[in-house]
Amino acid sequence: MSENVQGTFVSEKISKIRWKHEDFEDATNFITGSWDDPVNKVTHWTFQMNDDGESYPAVVSSYAILGDVTEIKFILKDFFVISTSIGTVRLLQIHENPYSQFKEHMSWEFIHKFDNTNDYASCTGLSTFEQDIVSVGEDGRINLLTAGQKQPVRSINDADSCSMYCIDFLRHNEILTGNLRGHMKVWDLRNDQDLPATTFMLSDQSKTEATSIAHHPTQRHIVVAGGGDGSLTVWDLRHNTYPMSQLNAHAKAVSEILFHPDRPENLFTCSASGELWHWNNTQHSKLSLDPTNTHWLNTIGTNGKVNVTSLCSAMHKPINSIDIDRSTLLFGCDNEAIYVVRNITV
Amino acid sequence: MDENDSPLTIDIPNVPKHLRITGSWVNSNRIGIYKKLAKGSSEKYDPTVYILRPDIILFSPQLRKLVNESNGVFLSIQKIKSVSGDVRPELLKHSKQYRSILRACIESLQDICGKCLSDKKESLENFLTIFYQIECVWHLIEILYVDVVPGDVILPQLLEWIRFHFPSRELVAVKILAQKTIGADLEYPNYWEAVIGCALHGKLDLVRALLALHSKADHPAFVMAENVLKTMPIYNVYGGYSIDGFTTCWKRWQLELCSNLNSKAFIVDTNLEMIMKLIAGEQDMLWQFSQYTDAWYELLAAKLFYTSPCCKQPELSLHANNISKRWQANRPSDNAIRAVMESNLHRVIKEIQYMGDNGWFAAHLVDLLYACGKLKILDRDQVEVSNQLHESLILEYGNTLMGHRSLWQCGASYLIHCPVQGLARLEILLQSLPMGSEARVNKILDIARDNKMDHIVTSICKIQGLKSMKQGRLGNALAWALKAQDSGFTTYIADQFLKRYAEYGELDCRDLLENLGFCMMASDRLTFLGKYCEFHQMYSIGEFKEAASLLVSLLVSNLTPKYFWSILLSDAIPLLEAKDVILSSSDCFELLRCVEAHGDDLKFQNKIEIFRLAVARNLARALSLEGCQVEH
């Protein structure tokens, strides 16, 4: 392990890890969610100094969760939404006074379930746009929620006949979902019919599941999706649904894709194979001299202009989640540890 | 195992004397116990089942860190094994990593122990004892087996080991020295205890510094003691002289000290005299000082230091035996340490299995020694069984972890490295894991795929498919069947789709069926279903020509299931009756042939007349049209 990587063993497998971003300074707090234990936890962490002057993550408070934590997303500075494998979505707040704890503001219980057997279904992912939350699950249902309202705003019950695995809010009225078969569907929320606006494939050659989606922070029509086979596919949804580029990246399923929020020429991906990669196009982004003016992601597969570096030696267990704040990246792994990677050049 | 092993006894409550109990395995580490009624017994049947499982301390949250962190080191050692060349320095590094993990574990246990309430404290203190002992034994084994000791003279490392594990008296000494008060013996009641402790550990510089603070430090006896200690020859491999040369020099020094003792040079202070006697190597004095030691091996180190400073590993066992016997030491760690010194690894491994750590120590240690090439274990018939022993310990440890709801991934990575039985064991255990969400299932599948267990992948996918069917999700079931690449199962599910259509007249999961792509070829029935779905798609968007040709190709394909013929034939009627001529004359002949062959379905009886009429009319139109086209 290289010098700038610091690991902390936490006695639970980490499914999600998210910075609590601050406005004008480096983030110092983050949230993790665990999975696969009978009772899992959402934990609030901060950094403390030990006797040797090293800063290390320390628990501030934690909150027991039934089922696995499957997603964590902040909607405001202190407010975040979590989803679980028992089909529940919760809105929690990091409360500081009188002492640090979590406060539950809203809970949407069992909004993902199998109608035939009345069993709960795993809520596999959620995405947020300001106060709006949209969740998908193994029941093939899309739920539209809004932070202040107990009842779902809308449920598209038979949105997909397969389990849905990932979702992304592209615009306030448009979402993109991916399922077990690698079907990508764009949904226009203004449309009352429960049908997708467009359907396209993650990959024509191999029918693999879509495991994660991310959009470019400033050009929201540029979308990257990861597959169960470790592939990455890029689309420009303005033009058509034919992929701009497609490449075999990781050895196993892509767990998460993350654009650097302030420097979108940096992309981070992690995988069930234990790899953590940094895709960087810094030198070509500032001044675009390319006459064809194609987007850098357009060419990641074909030319050598994009630097791909491994941020740490491969883990021997799946890396499930990553998040970055400025130059500090966090990742959570199935070896029951969280890692901090400092001083990443972005 | 030995004959004198006493098995653990557990009382099963509420079982009358005359009843028998019987048990069966639930999974690899659970056993179900229930009462068994004799035949014809009038006893009422009692459905209670008791589940017994071993108490596994490794599953407690405080120790899961140790489990996971050491897993990383273990896997890294497996990588080294495949590297050629001298791997010993690398392995030593890994051994130290294991120990630092143990240290961290002990420290965090101490931390929690200080904060928690008494009921939990007991178990935590128990953990602490276990891991203290493990670390102590590990350290010694590292010195004797993993590290390369220059010149094979082991005393310096042995002393270091002792000092590391029994630091308390040296800490007292440092505290006294820090005050720098002359007459420390008067001020500190534990002054002599500290001096003796340091002398036993061979910390002569500390002894000298302490003596210098004695109230009578200027007395000739103390000055002489200082001189003796200063001139004591200490063996150093790099000292530039041979062992023989050193021994002569050391013997001369010892003789001089003895003569001083005989002339009662140190009589001014009894404690001082006793210490000088110890330094001169007097056995009795050693035993008198045993009250200042916590373990027999502390005394052993002192004995070696003052009587045979050039002791090599083979001679160690004799000394160790003498001392431990007289000490009457018999904790598992005592036995283990004695066995280590006797170079009896077989016994070491046996003893460390009694330490109550669920096999963590044995598995990791044996693996390390195995990697070092130091594991040579002979069984009763002098056959080498090192490979078997290595494998069985790791297998057992991996097996234990696989029994945990969350640590199964970790367990699997041990099983994978058991060359003989590992994969077979993994195969069985993977299938017995509870499934849960699809995210979990996908991770289980990943492990199966990594180890090329295709049939496990297929069987797990099938289980998922069946589960989906029970939930009424045919689409998801089909997706899993395709993942399983099991054409029989795919056919079965495709049949379900067609039967539902036959019954309710509606095709489910159109979004999936319309986007099957080349997966449609997975089975004939699925091909039929996919094409039939395409036909509906074409029909609904008004592409009748396309739809008709699809329909005809389906009819001639011979893929049609028996119960579906009537539907397929009925579907043809509106196309035959369309305003434009869509079906050609040859298509009509095909249709007629099909209706002759398959039109006897009861459900079709009321339509057969219409069908024939429609074909006849279409044939007429088609023939005249085709005739015109030929003329042109």
Side-chain angles (χ1 to χ4, degrees):
Chain A
M1 189 108 340
S2 50
E3 269 174 25
N4 60 342
V5 183
Q6 178 197 22
T8 309
F9 284 82
V10 297
S11 294
E12 53 190 8
K13 293 195 276 193
I14 299 298
S15 55
K16 288 291 158 185
I17 193 161
R18 297 285 178 253
W19 278 113
K20 175 175 175 284
H21 293 283
E22 302 293 337
D23 284 339
F24 302 109
E25 54 194 32
D26 286 347
T28 51
N29 290 278
F30 63 94
I31 302 285
T32 59
S34 71
W35 78 285
D36 223 9
D37 268 317
V39 174
N40 292 290
K41 281 188 300 214
V42 169
T43 308
H44 177 201
W45 300 80
T46 189
F47 285 95
Q48 279 180 359
M49 288 287 183
N50 67 6
D51 304 338
D52 306 332
E54 266 172 30
S55 100
Y56 69 98
V59 178
V60 178
S61 58
S62 61
Y63 187 84
I65 295 287
L66 271 182
D68 304 337
V69 176
T70 54
E71 184 59 274
I72 302 177
K73 286 263 162 84
F74 273 88
I75 58 168
L76 272 175
K77 207 164 158 278
D78 301 331
F79 287 83
F80 61 96
V81 196
I82 62 157
S83 59
T84 71
S85 65
I86 57 166
T88 297
V89 174
R90 285 169 204 274
L91 173 64
L92 300 178
Q93 184 192 2
I94 302 173
H95 223 273
E96 299 292 353
N97 286 319
Y99 51 90
S100 193
Q101 59 171 339
F102 290 109
K103 187 175 175 208
E104 186 180 293
H105 279 269
M106 194 66 84
S107 168
W108 294 273
E109 303 279 341
F110 307 115
I111 51 171
H112 288 279
K113 60 175 191 289
F114 300 118
D115 292 327
N116 274 36
T117 53
N118 232 354
D119 269 350
Y120 58 77
S122 174
C123 174
T124 51
L126 61 81
S127 185
T128 59
F129 191 93
E130 289 166 3
Q131 300 279 303
D132 291 337
I133 303 153
V134 60
S135 72
V136 291
E138 282 182 14
D139 54 354
R141 193 189 312 260
I142 299 175
N143 282 308
L144 262 89
L145 314 166
T146 190
Q149 187 182 323
K150 178 77 184 158
Q151 283 304 312
V153 178
R154 181 179 170 190
S155 286
I156 306 179
N157 286 336
D158 293 309
D160 205 310
S161 43
C162 298
S163 297
M164 294 168 117
Y165 280 178
C166 48
I167 174 133
D168 192 28
F169 242 117
L170 300 177
R171 283 184 289 162
H172 69 282
N173 67 324
E174 202 171 56
I175 55 173
L176 172 65
T177 62
N179 77 357
L180 169 59
R181 295 283 301 154
H183 297 171
M184 313 292 293
K185 295 178 185 175
V186 180
W187 302 78
D188 186 345
L189 298 177
R190 290 170 302 193
N191 188 342
D192 281 337
Q193 278 186 317
D194 291 348
L195 286 172
T198 8
T199 301
F200 50 97
M201 296 298 130
L202 180 68
S203 151
D204 282 330
Q205 290 86 40
S206 63
K207 292 289 171 187
T208 182
E209 61 264 36
T211 52
S212 52
I213 313 176
H215 59 257
H216 193 283
T218 51
Q219 297 157 283
R220 293 180 83 103
H221 51 270
I222 304 272
V223 171
V224 187
D229 57 353
S231 62
L232 284 182
T233 312
V234 187
W235 292 274
D236 183 343
L237 293 180
R238 281 175 311 183
H239 300 312
N240 49 34
T241 52
Y242 193 76
M244 272 163 46
S245 59
Q246 194 167 29
L247 68 157
N248 296 327
H250 292 288
K252 280 187 202 163
V254 180
S255 328
E256 260 183 23
I257 302 170
L258 175 75
F259 279 97
H260 194 291
D262 317 320
R263 299 182 183 279
E265 62 276 12
N266 292 281
L267 182 76
F268 299 89
T269 57
C270 66
S271 155
S273 59
E275 294 156 327
L276 170 62
W277 289 356
H278 177 191
W279 308 68
N280 177 301
N281 186 50
T282 316
Q283 64 268 48
H284 297 279
S285 63
K286 301 275 158 55
L287 265 173
S288 183
L289 297 174
D290 196 342
T292 55
N293 201 13
T294 49
H295 196 271
W296 68 275
L297 283 168
N298 197 355
T299 52
I300 49 174
T302 49
N303 65 13
K305 282 182 185 168
V306 179
N307 285 325
V308 186
T309 44
S310 225
L311 287 180
C312 67
S313 53
M315 295 280 135
H316 49 80
K317 297 282 180 302
I319 296 180
N320 295 322
S321 184
I322 42 177
D323 199 14
I324 193 160
D325 180 76
R326 302 190 188 195
S327 66
T328 313
L329 182 136
L330 298 170
F331 69 92
C333 184
D334 270 348
N335 68 351
E336 303 194 345
I338 51 177
Y339 293 85
V340 187
V341 190
R342 294 195 168 85
N343 307 323
I344 295 170
T345 342
V346 290
Chain B
M1 281 291 136
D2 269 359
E3 296 75 22
N4 59 14
D5 277 356
S6 58
L8 191 63
T9 326
I10 296 153
D11 281 324
I12 306 292
N14 304 324
V15 181
K17 277 247 161 62
H18 61 281
L19 278 189
R20 289 179 292 170
I21 56 166
T22 180
S24 68
W25 289 101
V26 180
N27 62 19
S28 62
N29 54 15
R30 266 160 219 265
I31 188 165
I33 307 282
Y34 50 95
K35 294 171 203 168
K36 193 177 178 184
L37 294 185
K39 264 190 191 153
S41 147
S42 58
E43 199 81 28
K44 221 180 125 228
Y45 177 67
D46 178 6
T48 319
V49 178
Y50 299 92
I51 304 283
L52 287 186
R53 59 173 176 82
D55 186 21
I56 295 172
I57 66 166
L58 294 177
F59 294 168
S60 62
Q62 301 86 14
L63 298 182
R64 269 169 73 169
K65 295 176 188 181
L66 172 91
V67 172
N68 279 293
E69 210 172 349
S70 52
N71 179 232
V73 182
F74 172 83
L75 291 173
S76 160
I77 290 181
Q78 307 314 306
K79 270 186 209 148
I80 296 181
K81 277 185 190 166
S82 52
V83 177
S84 57
D86 186 19
V87 293
R88 193 62 83 76
E90 269 302 302
L91 289 171
L92 180 64
K93 221 190 277 169
H94 282 82
S95 174
K96 287 190 170 148
Q97 267 174 27
Y98 275 130
R99 284 204 296 119
S100 84
I101 292 169
L102 278 167
R103 233 346 67 194
C105 171
I106 290 170
E107 273 167 21
S108 86
L109 281 173
Q110 279 169 334
D111 248 24
I112 311 166
C113 207
K115 286 176 203 156
C116 78
L117 299 167
S118 58
D119 54 329
K120 269 193 176 172
K121 207 164 188 160
E122 198 178 329
S123 75
L124 287 175
E125 275 167 357
N126 181 26
F127 294 170
L128 268 174
T129 324
I130 292 173
F131 288 101
Y132 267 135
Q133 293 181 358
I134 289 179
E135 205 226 333
C136 182
V137 178
W138 192 301
H139 193 174
L140 180 66
I141 292 177
E142 182 182 296
I143 290 170
L144 296 181
Y145 290 91
V146 185
D147 205 355
V148 187
V149 180
D152 211 18
V153 175
I154 48 171
L155 185 63
Q157 275 85 353
L158 224 50
L159 283 172
E160 215 167 275
W161 169 63
I162 292 288
R163 286 172 200 153
F164 187 80
H165 291 280
F166 301 98
S168 65
R169 295 211 171 74
E170 272 161 60
L171 288 177
V172 174
V174 171
K175 220 186 258 168
I176 295 173
L177 289 173
Q179 298 299 323
K180 290 188 181 150
T181 33
I182 305 292
D185 56 318
L186 306 173
E187 192 144 328
Y188 302 95
N190 52 0
Y191 169 84
W192 280 111
E193 195 185 326
V195 179
I196 294 166
C198 291
L200 286 169
H201 288 184
K203 276 292 216 189
L204 294 182
D205 45 348
L206 283 179
V207 174
R208 282 167 55 199
L210 281 170
L211 289 180
L213 292 182
H214 193 270
S215 52
K216 293 181 206 154
D218 298 333
H219 192 279
F222 278 85
V223 176
M224 183 183 288
E226 157 73 13
N227 244 326
V228 169
L229 290 172
K230 204 163 73 185
T231 52
M232 178 176 177
I234 306 281
Y235 182 72
N236 181 351
V237 175
Y238 309 108
Y241 34 77
S242 68
I243 289 183
D244 290 338
F246 168 79
T247 313
T248 351
C249 174
W250 173 71
K251 281 251 162 78
R252 193 183 310 135
W253 169 86
Q254 203 185 32
L255 239 107
E256 203 182 306
L257 176 57
C258 285
S259 72
N260 282 334
L261 278 168
N262 287 337
S263 60
K264 311 250 183 271
F266 305 107
I267 199 131
V268 57
D269 191 304
T270 30
N271 281 314
L272 180 68
E273 184 168 32
M274 277 159 73
I275 289 175
M276 294 324 279
K277 279 184 179 166
L278 169 76
I279 291 171
E282 273 189 34
Q283 283 276 349
D284 297 344
M285 207 40 72
L286 194 68
W287 284 102
Q288 270 193 40
F289 282 149
S290 68
Q291 53 171 317
Y292 297 108
T293 57
D294 299 322
W296 61 270
Y297 29 93
E298 251 188 292
L299 215 54
L300 171 73
K303 184 186 173 184
L304 293 180
F305 187 64
Y306 296 117
T307 61
S308 69
C310 294
C311 174
K312 293 195 177 184
Q313 197 168 345
E315 302 152 33
L316 188 60
S317 78
L318 185 71
H319 296 290
N321 242 326
N322 285 339
I323 294 211
S324 67
K325 239 179 224 155
R326 193 158 158 196
W327 184 283
Q328 292 178 322
N330 52 12
R331 286 178 303 172
S333 63
D334 289 327
N335 297 340
I337 286 172
R338 188 168 54 227
V340 174
M341 293 184 174
E342 285 167 0
S343 302
N344 185 348
L345 272 184
H346 194 184
R347 206 177 153 72
V348 173
I349 292 158
K350 204 152 104 185
E351 290 295 343
I352 61 181
Q353 285 178 341
Y354 290 122
M355 284 188 170
D357 64 329
N358 312 124
W360 180 91
F361 186 23
H364 289 95
L365 180 76
V366 164
D367 180 64
L368 180 72
L369 292 175
Y370 188 76
C372 291
K374 287 280 185 175
L375 194 68
K376 292 240 163 11
I377 306 283
L378 304 177
D379 71 354
R380 232 170 275 157
D381 306 322
Q382 300 299 306
V383 180
E384 170 145 6
V385 289
S386 316
N387 290 338
Q388 288 93 314
L389 180 73
H390 173 238
E391 167 143 348
S392 88
L393 287 172
I394 291 172
L395 201 64
E396 269 317 296
Y397 180 69
N399 199 97
T400 307
L401 293 186
M402 285 291 280
H404 187 264
R405 164 83 205 176
S406 172
L407 290 170
W408 56 275
Q409 282 163 301
C410 192
S413 56
Y414 286 92
L415 296 183
I416 289 163
H417 288 100
C418 297
V420 184
Q421 288 180 48
L423 291 183
R425 183 77 66 99
L426 183 63
E427 237 179 82
I428 296 168
L429 292 177
L430 273 185
Q431 294 180 84
S432 69
L433 286 174
M435 288 295 159
S437 72
E438 287 185 6
R440 181 174 153 102
V441 172
N442 281 326
K443 286 197 170 154
I444 297 174
L445 286 174
D446 263 345
I447 291 185
R449 255 185 233 119
D450 280 348
N451 295 291
K452 304 196 174 52
M453 297 173 180
D454 292 340
H455 58 290
I456 302 289
V457 174
T458 308
S459 105
I460 291 176
C461 289
K462 256 171 109 165
I463 293 169
Q464 284 302 110
L466 288 169
K467 197 169 117 192
S468 298
M469 281 186 73
K470 267 193 207 132
Q471 290 160 338
R473 303 159 67 215
L474 270 184
N476 209 47
L478 180 60
W480 279 104
L482 289 171
K483 248 186 174 202
Q485 298 184 315
D486 180 329
S487 65
F489 190 43
T490 313
T491 302
Y492 174 74
I493 292 172
D495 248 345
Q496 299 299 311
F497 272 105
L498 292 171
K499 281 181 179 155
R500 282 178 70 96
Y501 179 76
E503 199 167 328
Y504 304 111
E506 209 169 311
L507 263 180
D508 298 327
C509 310
R510 291 279 287 267
D511 60 328
L512 173 66
L513 297 180
E514 285 167 12
N515 292 302
L516 278 173
F518 73 93
C519 288
M520 208 189 274
M521 305 301 168
S523 92
D524 285 354
R525 195 55 47 86
L526 187 64
T527 315
F528 179 81
L529 174 63
K531 286 286 166 198
Y532 186 67
C533 185
E534 224 172 295
F535 159 74
H536 268 273
Q537 207 179 347
M538 290 300 157
Y539 195 92
S540 66
I541 57 171
E543 291 283 342
F544 298 123
K545 201 95 198 151
E546 272 297 309
S549 83
L550 270 168
L551 188 65
V552 172
S553 67
L554 279 176
L555 285 167
V556 300
S557 68
N558 252 340
L559 297 175
T560 318
K562 203 159 171 260
Y563 60 85
F564 215 75
W565 273 108
S566 61
I567 296 167
L568 224 49
L569 291 171
S570 313
D571 282 336
I573 299 174
L575 289 170
L576 289 165
E577 294 284 324
K579 217 167 131 203
D580 300 320
V581 180
I582 300 168
L583 292 152
S584 69
S585 56
S586 60
D587 292 342
C588 292
F589 296 136
E590 265 322 315
L591 286 176
L592 283 172
R593 188 187 60 76
C594 290
V595 84
E596 285 316 307
H598 305 286
D600 49 356
D601 191 328
L602 276 179
K603 277 184 262 170
F604 195 58
Q605 286 319 302
N606 54 353
K607 289 189 192 153
I608 196 155
E609 287 311 314
I610 307 168
F611 183 85
R612 289 221 165 93
L613 192 63
V615 177
R617 289 203 330 211
N618 187 76
L619 183 61
R621 287 197 289 164
L623 281 175
S624 63
L625 191 68
E626 282 158 24
C628 292
Q629 280 164 342
V630 171
E631 274 171 29
H632 282 293

